[in-house]
Amino acid sequence: MIIPKTAEEIVLMREAALVVSRTLGMIAKELKPGVTTKELDKRAEEFIRDQGAKPGFLGLYGCPSTLLTSVNEAVVHGLPTDIPLEEGDIVSVDCGAIKDTFYGDHAYTFEIGEVAPETKKLLQVTKESLYVGIRAFKAGNRTGDIGYAIQAYCEAHGYGVVRELVGHGLGKKLHEDPEIPNFGRRGRGKKFIEGMTIAIEPMINLGTHRVKQLKDGWTIITADKKPSAHFEHNVALVNGQPELLSTFDYVYEALGIASDEEDEFRKVLNEL
């Protein structure tokens, strides 16, 4: 069952999302060759608690960490380790937080130093596909419209679109209805309704779309061990249009990147 949110609840959800946004911005400042993801995980937990929030992943479904850190061929759900990051690595940092009973949950795939051109292109296209999907989140559309938009965009570049893992509704639970696949057919699936809040998260592979799970019971990797990218935003349907709750602005500030990519999705929330 889809749980629509009131205007007041959407404002609270934005505050939870911004805890995560600021945490990813902090992580962006710390990422460099030689740093371990376990070190980042410890800093993230402290940073989230300092904001008056709680880690959203820690303990949920038995998760042992605040962050999920997926390096290179790891798609998602990578557990932090003591292995130092190296020049040329990429790492998806997925983070969740709970504030005022609501969840924020989003992710960014970072480059460690100089990465291979084909990997850099994968990250660029995957992030672009996130906004392609967000544009399809509007009144009258269905979950299949988001999936079709992301799939068509990424497959046109020759990439594999993961089938086994999907985006989801978001609210007082980390995973609410509906599921938001990154593949599908237009006009199919659950219909979007005013006030619904979701996490859209393309998981796109340089090679095959097929994946497998490691023996740790968490980490999902590509079947061909080629790199994978993952970007995620939290979005609400407000006045029939997508309104961003999360932001990559803190990441971009840390990395010295100028971007206006989110402007079209910031229309009414400041007035609520």
Side-chain angles (χ1 to χ4, degrees):
M1 180 180 70
I2 296 174
I3 304 173
K5 313 302 188 297
T6 65
E8 292 77 15
E9 288 174 325
I10 289 173
V11 170
L12 291 176
M13 286 196 65
R14 179 176 64 170
E15 292 307 308
L18 289 178
V19 170
V20 178
S21 299
R22 288 188 287 267
T23 303
L24 291 177
M26 180 275 292
I27 294 295
K29 297 177 182 177
E30 302 293 329
L31 278 169
K32 58 185 177 182
V35 170
T36 72
T37 50
K38 269 196 175 179
E39 291 171 345
L40 297 174
D41 186 65
K42 181 180 179 180
R43 293 174 191 173
E45 180 179 354
E46 294 171 351
F47 191 81
I48 289 170
R49 294 190 189 279
D50 285 347
Q51 295 180 77
K54 297 189 299 183
F57 297 167
L58 185 61
L60 185 69
Y61 311 132
C63 181
S65 57
T66 293
L67 301 178
L68 294 171
T69 52
S70 305
V71 181
N72 296 331
E73 71 271 18
V75 182
V76 288
H77 301 168
L79 298 179
T81 72
D82 289 319
I83 301 172
L85 294 168
E86 297 181 357
E87 180 87 10
D89 284 344
I90 58 171
V91 55
S92 161
V93 179
D94 194 355
C95 181
I98 306 168
K99 187 174 177 61
D100 296 322
T101 74
F102 285 103
Y103 275 89
D105 166 30
H106 47 289
Y108 192 93
T109 300
F110 295 92
E111 303 173 18
I112 307 301
E114 290 296 322
V115 305
E118 64 178 6
T119 303
K120 185 181 288 285
K121 180 68 172 179
L122 170 68
L123 268 59
Q124 175 188 333
V125 170
T126 303
K127 184 153 67 70
E128 290 170 353
S129 79
L130 171 60
Y131 296 105
V132 168
I134 291 172
R135 291 186 190 102
F137 182 48
K138 58 185 179 181
N141 277 3
R142 296 176 180 268
T143 55
D145 292 293
I146 290 179
Y148 175 85
I150 292 172
Q151 181 181 13
Y153 191 81
C154 293
E155 289 185 347
H157 288 84
Y159 298 142
V161 179
V162 175
R163 266 66 166 175
E164 291 85 350
L165 303 152
V166 298
H168 50 89
L170 187 71
K172 292 190 174 183
K173 293 183 179 180
L174 179 63
H175 297 112
E176 294 186 351
D177 283 338
E179 291 188 345
I180 310 292
N182 298 306
F183 62 95
R185 298 178 63 182
R186 287 179 290 191
R188 300 293 181 90
K190 293 190 176 181
K191 193 172 184 178
F192 301 139
I193 60 175
E194 182 72 11
M196 69 184 295
T197 48
I198 63 174
I200 301 176
E201 49 179 322
M203 291 157 273
I204 310 300
N205 301 340
L206 184 63
T208 180
H209 68 82
R210 300 186 185 281
V211 299
K212 59 183 181 180
Q213 189 174 55
L214 295 185
K215 292 181 180 179
D216 64 11
W218 284 89
T219 310
I220 305 294
I221 67 169
T222 57
D224 57 9
K225 296 191 176 180
K226 290 184 178 180
S228 182
H230 173 217
F231 291 88
E232 179 179 14
H233 264 316
N234 302 155
V235 196
L237 193 66
V238 179
N239 295 337
Q241 297 294 320
E243 186 80 16
L244 270 183
L245 305 178
S246 52
T247 181
F248 293 149
D249 281 354
Y250 296 101
V251 169
Y252 294 154
E253 180 181 358
L255 299 179
I257 296 173
S259 174
D260 60 358
E261 66 191 14
E262 297 178 1
D263 289 355
E264 65 180 287
F265 309 112
R266 294 170 172 167
K267 295 179 180 177
V268 299
L269 195 53
N270 288 334
E271 302 172 5
L272 292 178

